[in-house]
Amino acid sequence: MSSPVVVCIGNPLLDIQVSPQDGPKYLEKYGLKSNDAILAEDKHMPIYEDIVANSQVTYVAGGAAQNAARAASYVLPAKSVAYIGSVGDDDLKETLQKVNETEGVVSAYEVQAAPTKTGACAVILSNHDRSLVTTLRAAEMFHKEHLAKPEVAALINGAKYFYIGGFFLTHGIESALEIAKAASSRGKTVVLNLSAPFIAQFFKVQLEELLPHVDILIGNESEAAAYAEAAGLVDAAPAQVASTLAVFSKSNASRPRVVIITQGADSTLVASSSPSSSAANLSPSDPNPKVYPVSKLADDQIIDTNGAGDMFAGGLLGALAQGKTLNEAIEVGHKLGQMCCGQIGPKLQFPKVDV
Ligand code: 26A
């Protein structure tokens, strides 16, 4: 059997979703923003038991990079994508592993002994927003040594595309650097997702340590704004942030960096450090950043937006691994992002539809 072409690394989480009807009361009770992703502080810790006891909840496989892995797998043959992360030895892990298996993703988990539990994310829906409150538990106990285990090292050696969740940088910068440096020195493609505003805000040092080894950076408008503020780019629009990040120092200077900023239902922006290169696939007459229109979903077609950004990123990743151009890959990303908005949780449509 051929080895996976894509390797993703991140925090495996089980999502516990609260409906948009019940969502607002929890936003208020725990002082949450309606559209955000945070690490649970002490004051948030009761939320997990609270929502399960007092609302009807839905359990779905989550973890941002794991969602992206499943999206990449959606457009590739089974077992083309592997996912690395740390879990507990419990039923949450079983659930996540089963979903990965069903969707063709190879799980390469580091498993922590009981009583350490698999991480969880409370997903508080309201209108079309989602507020994510995460307790990482086993996810933040990932050890760099896991990467050296023969079966994991073989996956890493065989892959051509590497996807790192920005969320992983809260604890896993050493592992992320090891993967990214090795990949970029061998001419492989390294993709990083900015993940959430708080990463640019509080983990800017880690982000900028990894960035030189990143070929494709993906984020959204609020993450771009958070980076602008952290980097002292006063009031910079997303296009300016994208251009700035595109020319941030690069270890493998022979390959350009492409920065992709999604803006929800608005156009996606793509900036490149070298627009004429084949990786950027932009023509000399294109503006830099280039603007890719997004077809807006009707309100009644949106079930929930949890995971839409991950599905965009994973779809794009899978399409690139299939050999599609960047233009085509962005289209695939848009389609999977939209498809996810029509499902409960970070899910895609099955049986599969052509994208
Ligand atoms: C470190 N944090 C906060 C996180 C996350 C996270 N994945 C990794 N690390 N907080 C939320 N998520 C996941 O993001 C997906 C939506 O983009 C949720 O599990 C959800 O599935």
Side-chain angles (χ1 to χ4, degrees), residues 163-331:
Y163 180 92
I164 302 169
F167 281 130
F168 193 73
L169 302 185
T170 67
H171 60 90
I173 180 66
E174 283 185 19
S175 304
L177 274 174
E178 182 165 309
I179 289 185
K181 280 184 183 170
S184 107
S185 70
R186 291 186 298 137
K188 312 290 180 198
T189 302
V190 179
V191 184
L192 174 69
N193 197 312
L194 286 171
S195 290
F198 87 84
I199 298 295
Q201 230 170 348
F202 302 119
F203 296 90
K204 178 171 168 279
V205 171
Q206 290 84 341
L207 188 63
E208 292 188 342
E209 203 180 345
L210 188 59
L211 210 45
H213 315 292
V214 171
D215 301 296
I216 302 178
L217 181 67
I218 303 177
N220 65 25
E221 73 281 34
S222 52
E223 291 147 17
Y227 182 79
E229 194 173 331
L233 305 165
V234 183
D235 290 335
Q240 191 191 334
V241 179
S243 302
T244 304
L245 285 166
V247 297
F248 195 93
S249 75
K250 191 143 192 323
S251 60
N252 183 348
S254 66
R255 295 157 64 83
R257 179 179 300 113
V258 174
V259 179
I260 303 169
I261 303 293
T262 59
Q263 310 188 87
D266 290 333
S267 315
T268 297
L269 306 173
V270 179
S272 171
S273 58
S274 171
S276 57
S277 71
S278 62
N281 191 231
L282 303 175
S283 79
S285 58
D286 281 334
N288 189 17
K290 185 172 173 181
V291 179
Y292 290 76
V294 168
S295 56
K296 197 169 160 32
L297 279 177
D299 254 22
D300 63 355
Q301 288 180 298
I302 302 178
I303 309 272
D304 86 58
T305 55
N306 182 25
D310 304 329
M311 296 310 184
F312 167 83
L316 180 126
L317 179 68
L320 289 176
Q322 257 181 329
K324 296 208 163 155
T325 66
L326 186 66
N327 281 332
E328 293 165 338
I330 285 173
E331 280 315 305

Side-chain angles (χ1 to χ4, degrees), residues 112-123:
Q112 311 298 335
T116 303
K117 288 183 70 182
T118 298
C121 176
V123 178

Side-chain angles (χ1 to χ4, degrees), residues 71-121:
S73 181
Y74 194 84
V75 298
L76 290 167
K79 302 197 176 162
S80 298
V81 181
Y83 173 78
I84 301 172
S86 171
V87 292
D89 197 2
D90 54 15
D91 50 341
L92 283 69
K93 171 202 79 174
E94 298 296 327
T95 303
L96 297 180
Q97 201 160 18
K98 233 176 249 162
V99 174
N100 280 350
E101 213 172 289
T102 308
E103 300 191 24
V105 173
V106 177
S107 303
Y109 292 143
E110 175 181 347
V111 182
Q112 311 298 335
T116 303
K117 288 183 70 182
T118 298
C121 176

Side-chain angles (χ1 to χ4, degrees), residues 40-95:
E41 297 165 30
D42 288 345
K43 65 178 180 193
H44 302 120
M45 282 306 176
I47 198 169
Y48 305 97
E49 285 187 8
D50 192 0
I51 56 177
V52 170
N54 298 309
S55 288
Q56 210 169 4
V57 297
T58 314
Y59 295 92
V60 275
Q66 190 165 231
N67 297 337
R70 290 187 287 108
S73 181
Y74 194 84
V75 298
L76 290 167
K79 302 197 176 162
S80 298
V81 181
Y83 173 78
I84 301 172
S86 171
V87 292
D89 197 2
D90 54 15
D91 50 341
L92 283 69
K93 171 202 79 174
E94 298 296 327
T95 303

